[in-house]
Amino acid sequence: MSRILLSLLIGTGCSEYKLQSDGASDPPGAEGTPEILASPEQVSVGWVEAGDSGVEVVQIANIGEADLNVTDLGLESALTWTITTAGADTVEAGAATTVILEWEATTDSDGSDALVISSNDPEQPVVSVPLSWEVEQNEQPPGELIIT
């Protein structure tokens, strides 16, 4: 009798909950949120000579399901890198915009900086893209060693 009563109680308790599933799993961003993707994840120009300059491109893509609002775009130090084209402030779902950066090797030190992108992506509101170039150091030929 207690087994029957226990089965009835468990069966009754479980029947109060209705589980529904359409069998499909929700893809990332399916709740209607934006999702930022910066490409490349870092920009490394490599070895350059003092006085060299160049242009690099970073793409900001929205792989989410809602508009991505780029709320701020800047450089950490802005010493040797500049943003020449900032791209769009609003990136629709599935679309992308382009940021164009210029660099100039004006010193005999490394050109490290970071492009910092702030947006309404709830999972990753700030994305930092490291930027760098390195100046080749001109090695002096070995001097003459005079022993007296």
Side-chain angles (χ1 to χ4, degrees), residues 45-76:
V45 176
W47 293 100
V48 299
E49 293 182 14
D52 286 353
S53 61
V55 175
E56 300 297 325
V57 175
V58 174
Q59 186 178 61
I60 301 171
N62 179 5
I63 58 173
E65 297 291 323
D67 286 353
L68 176 74
N69 298 318
V70 178
T71 56
D72 193 25
L73 185 69
L75 296 166
E76 281 184 354

Side-chain angles (χ1 to χ4, degrees), residues 88-107:
D89 291 337
T90 302
V91 183
E92 294 178 0
T97 189
T98 301
V99 177
I100 300 175
L101 303 151
E102 288 184 1
W103 57 270
E104 186 174 356
T106 58
T107 63

Side-chain angles (χ1 to χ4, degrees), residues 44-53 80-81 103-112 131-139:
S44 178
V45 176
W47 293 100
V48 299
E49 293 182 14
D52 286 353
S53 61
T80 58
W81 290 82
W103 57 270
E104 186 174 356
T106 58
T107 63
D108 289 333
S109 63
D110 296 344
S112 297
L131 310 169
S132 67
W133 50 259
E134 296 180 62
V135 172
E136 288 184 4
Q137 300 297 326
N138 293 330
E139 292 187 29

Side-chain angles (χ1 to χ4, degrees), residues 4 8 11 16 35-36 46 52 54 72 75 78 113 125 135 139 145 148:
I4 294 173
L8 287 174
E16 293 177 19
E35 187 175 346
I36 192 170
D52 286 353
D72 193 25
L75 296 166
D113 207 337
V135 172
E139 292 187 29
L145 180 61
T148 58

